[in-house]
Amino acid sequence: MEKSYKNKIFVLTEFRGEKFHPISFELLGKGKEIAEKLEGELCAIVMGNHVSRDSCNALIYYGAERVFLYDSQLFSEPNVINFKHNLVKLVQEEKPDIILIGATHFGRSLAPRVAAALKTGLTADCIDLEVDEKGELIQIRPAFTGNILAHIKTKTKPVMTTVRYKVMNVGKMDLERRGSIIVREAEEPIERNVKFVGKYGVRKLNIADAEVIVSGGRGLGSPEGFNLLKELADLLGGVVGSSRTPVDEGWIGKEHQVGFSGNTVKPKLYIACGISGSPQHLAGMKDSETIIAINVDPSAPIFKVADYGIVGDLYQIIPLMIKEIKARKVNKS
Amino acid sequence: MALKIIVLIKQVPDIEKVRFDVETGRIDRSSAPAEINPFDLNALEAAVQIKEKVGGHIIGLSMGPPQAVSALKDAMARGADEAILLEDKMFAGADTWATSYTLAAAIKKIGVYDLILCGEKTVDGDTGQVGAEVAEQLNIPHVYYVSRIVDFNEKNITVVSEMDDASYTIEAAYPVLISVTKDVNKPRLPTLKDKLRAMKSEVKVWHASDLDGFVDLNCVGYFGSPTNVHKVVIPQERYRAGKIFRNLDEGLEDILNLLRDKRLI
Ligand SMILES: Cc1cc2nc3c(=O)[nH]c(=O)nc-3n(C[C@H](O)[C@H](O)[C@H](O)COP(=O)(O)OP(=O)(O)OC[C@H]3O[C@@H](n4cnc5c(N)ncnc54)[C@H](O)[C@@H]3O)c2cc1C
Ligand SMILES: Cc1cc2nc3c(=O)[nH]c(=O)nc-3n(C[C@H](O)[C@H](O)[C@H](O)COP(=O)(O)OP(=O)(O)OC[C@H]3O[C@@H](n4cnc5c(N)ncnc54)[C@H](O)[C@@H]3O)c2cc1C
């Protein structure tokens, strides 16, 4: 017998190149939790080019009961209009109550278009989603450059949300779980579209994925300072980050920038070197598990969020740290 | 050739000065001076650079309270030829859907345009949704996270859009909406002469009645908004050990222990 559900929850996965972006599984994790509370059915939507069936099965193992699969070259690039057209059509047919989309650049470009087309509300960049006693979704998001958390409610259906990467837990994989994969034909929209004419600078680094980040700011004084930070980062299995100043100065690429107009990160360890701790920088890193700050100025605001701080010149402190770490590594082996 | 460019401008509080009441979660906007949203300065600068190359007409468009006139005067000092403020009690309390609906209505009334430029996001509402929602309501394409304007001519514009996996070069025919990041340019400061000229120029104010025929008043402001802010909380900062060392020798032992606990060394 068909199971009956009181609600339907859609998760838009992101299929890139040959695999799913990890946000897809985080969305399923949260989606499953909400589905359980609301007696809802969890569905995953896949729009990609050359998507294997195996990879869709993984979505079922992580909680999807139905997978809507669109496999077409229309989705080989992050062309928002192609995605919007097909997603809006599916939503109009299936009438989900809730739609979760990743707050990646792609998701944040697509979701508002879909919401506007459906004349429904959209909440941006959520860091938590709760179901209240009325069964309504409370969407929690930072605003005012990370200074406040707003709780947002949506009056219209579907309730749409973009969810920040790396804040939701991936649920348990269950290889016994069964579900259905429904193949849908992708439609090419007739509306006017943009033309993708080139692609370059394929990202090697997604700083948000790093467990350890050693970041430098204006206090480095010159681009060469990053060589020192790199040495420390390598020893700790981490990557180099930056405040905005060195990026604007051209000392380092913008993919390294942490903060309000850069990346939001939440590593196990964040080491801020020669960074004052402006509100815009803190907005991107203050949720890190542990923060170490190195700064010559004892009144620098970065010390307010630091677990450990050392007042002093980074050019004296970091070489010493490197020396000690190397010494211990040698002793161990 | 002369392009008609509309720049979307929001007035925001200076975020480094604004005060928050931890108890009530209230945001005290009067505690900070208001200014043009920083990313909108990049959008305006992009418009001015295009105009300098090929000629054109720039309209600054904002929805906001009466005080937002000052942001639009600032925009005129920075190169906007014309400025329109959408101001009405009925527009207050709008979420991004209702904001974009109202802005789109005004743009329909403006009628002819080639390019709409806006900022990546604001420093207060911080959703980054208004641009794409405006584009959808106008039924024109949009390109987000634009870090570079590569080229333009009378028919189309070529830009670089920063997506998660790579940078994409995108060619778009007008009309199109483009949202820019801070990397697209370095906004110039207006000269004293520009400021004086702008002070004397007029900002047009359009009320709800001026958008007659372009809006359904059930769709604007608080009552037209599908989302609302149910509650605001000032987050409890995480507990931090806050061990600050003035000399490295003391600190180093603790830090090395920490690295060991975290299995990093
Ligand atoms: C809309 C907007 C968005 C922004 N987005 C971001 C963003 O995403 N990320 C970001 O970081 N900023 C951002 N900013 C900029 C932000 O306001 C600050 O200007 C910036 O963070 C300052 O960078 P900094 O800490 O490296 O430099 P500074 O504030 O100049 O600090 C340098 C610090 O180095 C210390 N120092 C100097 N020499 C040494 C030494 N030898 N050893 C140790 N310490 C030393 C100094 O004491 C000082 O505290 C944004 C601003 C705006 C308006
Ligand atoms: C704490 C808080 C949280 C909120 N969360 C949400 C939410 O999750 N979802 C939601 O729908 N609404 C939300 N809102 C309402 C939203 O902030 C307002 O609708 C606001 O008018 C526009 O959104 P924004 O500031 O996020 O703009 P963004 O979408 O971040 O702005 C992008 C660009 O659009 C242009 N623009 C934006 N607003 C205007 C304007 N008024 N006039 C001219 N151009 C403009 C600017 O060029 C700007 O750079 C929230 C409001 C608050 C106070």
Side-chain angles (χ1 to χ4, degrees):
Chain A
M1 199 185 83
E2 284 260 315
K3 228 162 133 182
S4 77
Y5 298 99
K6 292 200 174 137
N7 275 282
K8 197 184 283 180
I9 292 125
F10 267 22
V11 160
L12 181 71
T13 63
E14 277 189 46
F15 191 82
R16 295 229 187 100
E18 281 153 14
K19 56 178 192 291
F20 287 101
H21 185 287
I23 185 78
S24 310
F25 299 100
E26 297 174 8
L27 294 173
L28 283 173
K30 193 68 195 182
K32 185 151 185 296
E33 198 186 301
I34 297 169
E36 277 163 9
K37 282 189 192 141
L38 294 176
E39 297 172 52
E41 178 192 26
L42 184 62
C43 305
I45 297 141
V46 184
M47 293 178 175
N49 194 18
H50 303 306
V51 188
S52 74
R53 253 194 124 78
D54 269 356
S55 55
C56 290
N57 282 330
L59 303 174
I60 293 169
Y61 302 150
Y62 279 100
E65 281 157 87
R66 280 193 289 164
V67 176
F68 292 95
L69 169 62
Y70 294 77
D71 194 346
S72 158
Q73 52 81 30
L74 285 172
F75 307 119
S76 55
E77 277 140 355
N79 184 323
V80 167
I81 292 203
N82 291 346
F83 285 83
K84 180 209 77 172
H85 177 84
N86 287 285
L87 183 55
V88 166
K89 198 161 164 256
L90 180 68
V91 169
Q92 283 164 343
E93 287 166 21
E94 288 287 324
K95 303 193 172 38
D97 299 279
I98 295 173
I99 307 178
L100 308 182
I101 296 177
T104 56
H105 276 198
F106 171 69
R108 292 189 76 171
S109 180
L110 170 67
R113 254 206 113 106
V114 175
L118 294 169
K119 298 192 170 48
T120 193
L122 173 65
T123 304
D125 202 21
C126 290
I127 59 167
D128 206 0
L129 299 172
E130 289 168 3
V131 176
D132 71 4
E133 65 284 355
K134 289 185 225 150
E136 289 171 6
L137 198 65
I138 311 231
Q139 305 156 85
I140 302 172
R141 59 172 300 254
F144 281 79
T145 316
N147 281 296
I148 66 159
L149 287 179
H151 292 220
I152 310 280
K153 275 195 173 186
T154 305
K155 297 183 265 199
T156 46
K157 284 277 170 80
V159 176
M160 287 186 65
T161 298
T162 60
V163 176
R164 188 177 280 187
Y165 179 37
K166 288 238 160 186
V167 300
M168 304 299 178
N169 296 323
V170 176
K172 275 210 192 72
M173 180 164 99
D174 178 358
L175 291 170
E176 300 299 306
R177 208 186 323 262
R178 293 288 167 265
S180 51
I181 297 174
I182 300 151
V183 178
R184 291 277 174 128
E185 220 37 64
E187 227 174 58
E188 187 164 0
I190 44 168
E191 72 190 276
R192 206 161 51 77
N193 205 340
V194 300
K195 230 171 38 210
F196 280 67
V197 293
K199 175 177 176 178
Y200 67 93
V202 174
R203 312 259 186 268
K204 287 179 238 70
L205 171 74
N206 185 351
I207 194 169
D209 290 327
E211 304 243 293
V212 177
I213 300 173
V214 183
S215 271
R218 191 197 299 276
L220 285 181
S222 75
E224 288 72 39
F226 280 109
N227 298 337
L228 187 63
L229 302 194
K230 176 91 171 45
E231 198 181 341
L232 179 59
D234 284 346
L235 280 173
L236 300 174
V239 303
V240 168
S242 174
S243 72
R244 172 167 166 175
T245 316
V247 174
D248 286 352
E249 293 291 329
W251 298 352
I252 193 164
K254 60 180 168 248
E255 65 277 17
H256 294 270
Q257 187 185 320
V258 173
F260 184 66
S261 54
N263 297 281
T264 309
V265 300
K266 210 176 154 186
K268 274 193 180 147
L269 177 63
Y270 190 87
I271 309 184
C273 312
I275 293 177
S276 62
S278 65
Q280 295 89 354
H281 191 74
L282 298 183
M285 48 63 77
K286 67 171 187 252
D287 292 327
S288 303
E289 209 174 285
T290 303
I291 297 171
I292 300 178
I294 301 171
N295 197 304
V296 282
D297 175 7
S299 68
I302 190 77
F303 285 127
K304 294 212 182 92
V305 299
D307 296 281
Y308 295 89
I310 303 177
V311 181
D313 181 356
L314 71 94
Y315 284 103
Q316 286 172 359
I317 294 166
I318 297 176
L320 214 62
M321 281 173 72
I322 290 174
K323 198 176 126 209
E324 288 294 325
I325 293 169
K326 277 187 178 158
R328 273 161 217 244
K329 288 208 167 167
V330 173
N331 281 349
K332 241 187 174 175
S333 55
Chain B
M1 139 191 170
L3 291 176
K4 287 204 81 176
I5 307 173
I6 297 173
V7 183
L8 302 182
I9 290 168
K10 188 182 182 197
Q11 190 183 46
V12 297
D14 177 345
I15 213 72
E16 304 200 20
K17 304 215 174 75
V18 70
R19 281 198 305 263
F20 304 94
D21 185 333
V22 180
E23 294 293 303
T24 60
R26 227 179 65 86
I27 301 150
D28 180 10
R29 284 184 190 257
S30 67
S31 63
E35 57 184 26
I36 294 183
N37 179 47
F39 301 108
D40 302 355
L41 293 178
N42 296 102
L44 184 55
E45 176 69 29
V48 172
Q49 288 183 13
I50 291 173
K51 181 183 159 181
E52 280 169 351
K53 282 224 180 99
V54 296
H57 182 79
I58 302 172
I59 301 178
L61 175 65
S62 185
M63 183 180 93
Q67 310 85 280
V69 162
S70 67
L72 286 172
K73 289 229 161 170
D74 187 13
M76 290 177 96
R78 292 167 189 269
D81 300 293
E82 196 183 329
I84 303 168
L85 175 65
L86 310 178
E87 185 271 308
D88 199 298
K89 279 207 174 67
M90 293 192 76
F91 298 156
D95 74 349
T96 60
W97 190 88
T99 300
S100 57
Y101 176 82
T102 313
L103 290 170
I107 293 168
K108 285 178 193 160
K109 176 166 163 155
I110 291 169
V112 185
Y113 59 91
D114 298 299
L115 187 59
I116 303 174
L117 287 160
C118 71
E120 167 190 349
K121 58 182 173 182
T122 64
V123 299
D124 56 357
D126 193 355
T127 65
Q129 293 175 178
V130 168
E133 294 198 30
V134 166
E136 176 65 26
Q137 314 229 23
L138 292 171
N139 204 9
I140 63 172
H142 77 275
V143 186
Y144 256 30
Y145 301 107
V146 168
S147 63
R148 203 152 74 84
I149 294 174
V150 181
D151 196 15
F152 48 87
N153 57 38
E154 59 280 351
K155 286 213 186 67
N156 49 51
I157 183 164
T158 306
V159 297
V160 172
S161 164
E162 301 298 335
M163 280 291 134
D164 309 276
D165 58 333
S167 308
Y168 289 87
T169 311
I170 293 172
E171 193 184 284
Y174 308 126
V176 61
L177 180 141
I178 282 167
S179 96
V180 301
T181 72
K182 52 106 183 162
D183 299 304
V184 78
N185 55 41
K186 284 208 167 69
R188 281 166 278 189
L189 291 173
T191 63
L192 187 63
K193 204 172 116 222
D194 294 331
K195 284 188 194 163
L196 290 173
R197 183 182 37 76
M199 238 147 61
K200 285 190 226 113
S201 49
E202 179 221 6
V203 171
K204 290 184 191 133
V205 179
W206 288 358
H207 304 292
S209 56
D210 294 304
L211 293 180
D212 228 5
F214 297 94
V215 285
D216 170 354
L217 290 177
N218 292 315
C219 296
V220 304
Y222 180 80
F223 294 102
S225 294
T227 73
N228 61 58
V229 180
H230 172 64
K231 189 165 97 183
V232 166
V233 293
I234 314 294
Q236 285 276 323
E237 293 307 335
R238 281 172 87 103
Y239 171 77
R240 298 283 176 192
K243 286 194 176 172
I244 311 297
F245 301 97
R246 298 240 172 192
N247 92 40
L248 176 63
D249 296 333
E250 285 171 37
L252 199 55
E253 202 47 49
D254 275 39
I255 288 174
L256 290 168
N257 285 338
L258 168 82
L259 297 179
R260 206 175 312 112
D261 290 348
K262 290 195 176 281
R263 297 174 185 280
L264 295 170
I265 55 174

